[in-house]
């Protein structure tokens, strides 16, 4: 039985309070969090949404691309909002949103901080000379003395138990934003272990975006380049398609998966061109061979709290350059991406059989073409990528809306074992975007205004061996969520997930490992009630079950009490939680 205890202290000072955004992010993490091993990046999600809230979208003149920047909106909801404005005229009140098919009260509440109802021809402009600045200080201390702080080995932590993040964001005049960040993780010695930042300009002319510093590029469906928060295999099947801004500042403290350099985005009529160049130092494990030094592993944790991890900090350089061109037609949006990555040393993963298809190389030349098309109540989208060395990766999806009460999504993916994408993050069972085939089917049924059913089935295979797996494997993941609104102020949902996957387990008496079935199951029952005057209570029971050779379980009991009045600057919440897990495999997020 494993127990955990921790203490977190946070300080927050903003020119404009982001309490609404924090609440929305918390609710998205609670409701859309995947029960498996790929949790949402809450920090990056907050960054994206807070930036969008600083420049609200005029809903009466919004383009599809602008609305797609909001990750919780489906294509069905976006098209219904635009169709409502087209047929009924400009929205005069936010209460009209209740008449838009597919928009429930929760989605409308999430939407409000990011929209405005201006004149259809032009949006109200900000003052030409103004500035706003925000400062975030986050401090964490671990009261319990973890094993790593005992100075008895080379793996002992070098620093103290404090973690500190200092972040400054601001906007100067109309369209110029900046970001600075410094961070120290627990066990690290330097309070400036990671430093990041950048400046961006957004205009309405030929140059729409110009970024210098740290930035992220989101292209296609993420086969070559995608950074930031994604829904993944969520409980909303119509949200699995990747969509968002192509170019933006990188504001996360995650120390991997971003570019550092300069980028520009240019627009002319329906055409959009994005160019970028990057050079940064990244963590890696190095080794010496007869032909010279090679990179064994590119590290992504960002921790530099031991002698071993500190020696691997920023010891290789990664140079990248790319271009993305897109044509924003109302019915079809084709795109093309080219990306060149070069390391200063060759990457040779070593004797691990799972990397047998990846040849020793220093540079990757990759190309991809993607599209999104809509026809009546059908949406089609996909991306096909090619890598030098005749390695391919592809994903193809379709979402159908036969009626307002039924939505269906079908996705097929095929990523070759030798496809290696340094910045890729496509839909799949893992985030490596290689050595995977799969077929995903998702359904969302809304028979009444009170009842909602979302379910999905994902069947996947790994054609080649994986890390610590001696044979190709396959699995099935099933998910179901039933939501029911008991009354205007009460709602409950039941969520069930089960995953079965083949796994090889070493044996002591046999030369070959044993092939077993790994089972993971999760059940959650949640109830929320609005008590009035800004008070809300929510309760949850969750159970996790894991079975391979032996069984282990995890249990969570949770009670929340939140206060968020519609008027006033004071808000907050209290959480009491009891949890118990038998093992890491039975963990609960």
């Amino acid at each position: 039985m494993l127990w955990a205890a921790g203490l977190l202290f946070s300080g927050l000072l903003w020119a404009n309070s982001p309490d609404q955004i924090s609440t929305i992010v918390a609710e998205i993490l609670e409701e859309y969090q995947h029960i498996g091993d790929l949790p949402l990046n809450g920090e990056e999600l907050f960054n994206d949404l807070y930036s969008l809230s600083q420049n609200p979208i005029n809903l009466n003149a919004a383009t599809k691309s602008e609305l797609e920047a909001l990750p919780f909106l489906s294509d069905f909801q976006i098209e219904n909002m635009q169709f409502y404005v087209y047929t009924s005229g400009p929205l005069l009140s936010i209460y009209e949103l209740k008449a838009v098919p597919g928009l429930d009260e929760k989605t409308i509440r999430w939407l409000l901080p990011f929209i405005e109802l201006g004149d259809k021809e032009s949006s109200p402009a900000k003052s030409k000379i103004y500035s706003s600045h925000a400062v975030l200080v986050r401090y964490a201390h671990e009261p319990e003395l973890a094993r790593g702080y005992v100075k008895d080995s080379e793996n002992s932590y070098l620093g103290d138990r404090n973690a500190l993040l200092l972040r400054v964001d601001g906007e100067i005049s109309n369209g110029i934003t900046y970001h600075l960040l410094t961070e120290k993780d627990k066990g690290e010695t330097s309070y400036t272990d990671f430093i990041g930042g950048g400046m961006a300009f957004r205009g309405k002319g030929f140059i729409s975006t110009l970024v210098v510093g740290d930035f992220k590029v989101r292209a296609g469906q993420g086969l070559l380049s995608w950074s930031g928060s994604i829904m993944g295999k969520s409980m909303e099947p119509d949200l699995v398609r990747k969509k968002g801004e192509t170019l933006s500042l990188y504001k996360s403290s995650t120390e991997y998966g971003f570019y550092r350099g300069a980028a520009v985005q240019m627009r002319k009529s329906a055409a959009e061109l994005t160019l970028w160049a990057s050079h940064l130092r990244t963590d890696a494990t190095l080794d010496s061979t007869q032909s010279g030094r090679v990179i064994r592993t590119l590290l992504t944790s960002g921790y530099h709290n031991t002698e071993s991890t500190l020696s691997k900090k920023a010891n290789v350089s990664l140079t990248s350059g790319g271009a993305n061109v897109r044509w924003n037609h109302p019915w079809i949006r084709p795109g093309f991406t080219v990306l060149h990555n070069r390391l200063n040393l060759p990457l040779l993963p070593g004797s691990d059989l799972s990397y047998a298809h990846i040849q020793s190389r220093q540079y990757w030349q990759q190309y991809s073409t993607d599209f999104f098309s809509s026809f009546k109540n059908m949406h089609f989208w996909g991306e096909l990528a090619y890598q030098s060395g005749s390695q391919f990766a592809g994903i193809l999806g379709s979402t159908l809306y036969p009626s307002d009460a039924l939505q269906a999504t079908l996705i097929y993916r095929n990523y070759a074992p030798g496809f290696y994408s340094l910045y890729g993050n496509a839909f799949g069972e893992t985030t490596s975007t290689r050595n995977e085939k799969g077929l995903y089917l998702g359904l969302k049924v809304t028979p009444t205004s009170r009842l909602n059913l979302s379910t999905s089935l994902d069947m996947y295979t790994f054609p080649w061996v994986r890390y610590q797996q001696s044979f190709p494997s396959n699995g099935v993941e099933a998910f179901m969520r039933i939501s029911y609104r008991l009354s205007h102020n009460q709602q409950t949902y039941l969520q069930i997930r089960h995953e079965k996957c083949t796994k090889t387990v070493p044996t002591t008496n046999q030369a070959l490992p044993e092939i077993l079935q790994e089972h993971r199951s999760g059940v959650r029952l949640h109830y929320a009630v609005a008590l009035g005057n800004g008070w809300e209570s929510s309760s949850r029971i969750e159970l996790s079950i894991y079975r391979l050779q032996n069984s282990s379980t995890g249990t969570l009991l949770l009670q929340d009490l939140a206060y968020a009045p519609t008027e006033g600057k004071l808000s907050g919440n209290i959480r009491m939680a009891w949890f118990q897990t038998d093992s890491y495999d039975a963990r609960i997020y």
Side-chain angles (χ1 to χ4, degrees):
M1 182 180 297
L2 297 179
W3 293 81
L7 187 61
L8 176 67
F9 304 95
S10 297
L12 196 62
L13 176 62
W14 294 85
N16 295 313
S17 175
D19 289 341
Q20 281 183 299
I21 311 304
S22 299
T23 301
I24 293 172
V25 170
E27 291 179 354
I28 291 177
L29 292 177
E30 294 284 357
E31 296 196 18
Y32 289 83
Q33 185 68 283
H34 183 46
I35 307 177
D37 298 329
L38 303 175
L40 282 169
N41 186 333
E43 180 188 13
E44 190 68 20
L45 181 61
F46 177 87
N47 295 334
D48 291 343
L49 294 182
Y50 184 75
S51 297
L52 291 170
S53 70
Q54 298 303 100
N55 297 280
I57 302 169
N58 180 4
L59 206 55
N60 289 325
T63 64
K64 184 177 292 187
S65 298
E66 290 175 329
L67 293 173
E68 284 180 346
L70 296 171
F72 53 82
L73 286 181
S74 68
D75 294 318
F76 177 69
Q77 293 169 329
I78 291 173
E79 289 193 352
N80 282 348
M81 282 190 289
Q82 291 189 312
F83 185 74
Y84 183 89
V85 173
Y86 176 75
T87 56
S88 303
L91 293 164
L92 302 178
S93 168
I94 59 174
Y95 297 103
E96 287 188 72
L97 292 173
K98 293 183 178 181
V100 178
L103 287 185
D104 55 20
E105 293 183 6
K106 177 189 67 179
T107 304
I108 294 174
R109 179 165 50 84
W110 287 356
L111 186 63
L112 294 182
F114 311 102
I115 62 170
E116 60 186 9
L117 302 180
D119 182 76
K120 191 170 183 179
E121 300 300 326
S122 61
S123 300
K126 295 182 179 179
S127 172
K128 291 184 178 180
I129 301 177
Y130 78 97
S131 66
S132 64
H133 310 275
V135 178
L136 168 67
V137 180
R138 188 174 67 210
Y139 170 76
H141 178 76
E142 191 174 77
E144 282 190 287
L145 187 65
R147 184 183 305 173
Y149 295 103
V150 180
K151 308 297 183 181
D152 61 353
S153 70
E154 64 175 9
N155 291 322
S156 298
Y157 295 154
L158 301 174
D160 53 38
R161 288 177 279 170
N162 300 320
L164 180 67
L165 180 143
L166 174 63
R167 175 177 150 182
V168 181
D169 293 272
E171 185 171 2
I172 305 172
S173 293
N174 203 0
I176 301 177
T177 58
Y178 71 89
H179 163 76
L180 294 171
L181 179 144
T182 179
E183 185 218 26
K184 171 195 176 296
D185 293 310
K186 288 179 288 186
E188 295 178 341
T189 58
S190 174
Y191 281 88
T192 57
D193 180 80
F194 176 69
I195 300 176
M199 181 173 287
F201 164 77
R202 292 185 181 275
K204 297 185 180 298
F206 176 66
I207 297 180
S208 59
T209 307
L210 179 65
V211 178
V212 177
D214 296 346
F215 60 93
K216 56 189 177 185
V217 176
R218 296 169 170 175
Q221 291 302 303
L223 293 182
L224 300 190
S225 183
W226 192 278
S227 176
S229 55
I230 56 173
M231 293 301 188
K233 288 193 290 185
S234 71
M235 60 205 63
E236 298 289 343
D238 50 350
L239 289 178
V240 295
R241 182 179 77 86
K242 283 182 167 57
K243 49 186 181 290
E245 293 181 294
T246 304
L247 175 63
S248 58
L249 277 175
Y250 182 80
K251 299 182 179 181
S252 175
S253 60
T254 303
E255 301 176 28
Y256 186 80
F258 64 95
Y259 299 96
R260 176 167 289 172
V264 61
Q265 186 177 81
M266 296 164 283
R267 290 177 180 169
K268 182 67 174 178
S269 186
E272 178 184 288
L273 174 64
T274 304
L275 304 171
W276 67 94
S278 167
H279 180 81
L280 54 79
R281 305 288 298 183
T282 188
D283 301 354
T285 301
L286 303 181
D287 195 7
S288 297
T289 65
Q290 292 181 349
S291 57
R293 304 198 77 187
V294 297
I295 301 171
R296 292 301 190 192
T297 308
L298 292 173
L299 305 176
T300 61
S301 69
Y303 292 121
H304 311 113
N305 48 13
T306 67
E307 291 286 356
S308 176
T309 56
L310 189 59
S311 65
K312 301 170 183 177
K313 179 182 177 181
N315 53 0
V316 299
S317 63
L318 172 60
T319 303
S320 305
N324 172 265
V325 61
R326 179 167 305 280
W327 180 264
N328 296 308
H329 189 272
W331 306 113
I332 185 169
R333 287 182 285 170
F336 179 78
T337 304
V338 57
L339 178 61
H340 178 84
N341 294 309
R342 184 180 184 88
L343 293 163
N344 65 324
L345 294 173
L347 176 65
L348 183 62
S351 58
D352 189 341
L353 192 60
S354 63
Y355 290 98
H357 292 83
I358 299 178
Q359 301 174 352
S360 175
R361 61 172 62 196
Q362 283 185 250
Y363 64 90
W364 287 261
Q365 193 75 30
Q366 297 174 317
Y367 310 88
S368 79
T369 179
D370 64 274
F371 76 97
F372 172 77
S373 176
S374 60
F375 178 72
K376 293 185 177 180
N377 59 350
M378 299 179 292
H379 294 160
F380 303 95
W381 44 270
E383 183 178 12
L384 177 64
Y386 169 80
Q387 176 183 290
S388 53
S390 299
Q391 300 293 337
F392 290 88
I395 182 170
L396 183 65
S398 174
T399 302
L400 309 178
Y401 304 93
S403 67
D404 292 345
L406 177 62
Q407 301 163 27
T409 299
L410 182 67
I411 303 173
Y412 173 74
R413 61 191 184 274
N414 190 340
Y415 312 142
F419 188 83
Y420 194 86
S421 181
L422 296 177
Y423 285 98
N425 189 7
F427 177 89
E429 181 64 17
T430 67
T431 58
S432 61
T433 317
R434 72 178 189 91
N435 186 33
E436 182 176 339
K437 295 181 181 180
L439 184 65
Y440 170 91
L441 174 63
L443 293 173
K444 183 178 179 180
V445 184
T446 310
T448 69
S449 60
R450 292 190 173 190
L451 181 63
N452 180 289
L453 170 65
S454 296
T455 182
S456 65
L457 180 68
D458 187 31
M459 298 170 287
Y460 57 86
T461 63
F462 302 107
W464 186 244
V465 299
R466 295 187 295 151
Y467 177 67
Q468 294 185 339
Q469 298 299 302
S470 305
F471 297 96
S473 55
N474 59 77
V476 177
E477 182 181 27
F479 180 90
M480 182 181 69
R481 174 170 171 168
I482 303 174
S483 302
Y484 186 71
R485 184 164 57 86
L486 301 168
S487 63
H488 73 281
N489 64 336
Q490 299 181 77
Q491 185 164 327
T492 185
Y493 69 79
L494 174 66
Q495 181 174 294
I496 302 173
R497 170 185 177 262
H498 180 75
E499 183 176 12
K500 180 179 69 173
C501 182
T502 56
K503 191 170 185 178
T504 55
V505 179
T507 57
T508 56
N509 300 324
Q510 300 178 14
L512 294 177
E514 186 178 3
I515 300 178
L516 301 177
Q517 291 288 340
E518 180 186 55
H519 295 264
R520 295 178 185 267
S521 302
V523 180
R524 175 191 294 179
L525 180 61
H526 186 89
Y527 169 77
V529 54
L531 304 174
N533 297 322
W535 291 93
E536 182 174 318
S537 171
S538 57
S539 309
R540 176 180 302 172
I541 301 174
E542 190 160 343
L543 177 66
S544 173
I545 303 172
Y546 176 83
R547 180 164 55 89
L548 185 58
Q549 292 173 307
N550 301 304
S551 297
S552 58
T553 60
T555 307
L556 168 72
L557 301 177
L558 182 148
Q559 176 62 48
D560 272 348
L561 183 63
Y563 177 68
T566 54
E567 297 182 359
K569 297 182 178 181
L570 180 65
S571 64
N573 70 286
I574 299 174
R575 165 167 292 185
M576 298 175 59
W578 175 88
F579 63 94
Q580 170 185 319
T581 61
D582 296 335
S583 70
Y584 173 76
D585 294 314
R587 60 195 176 275
I588 296 177
Y589 287 110

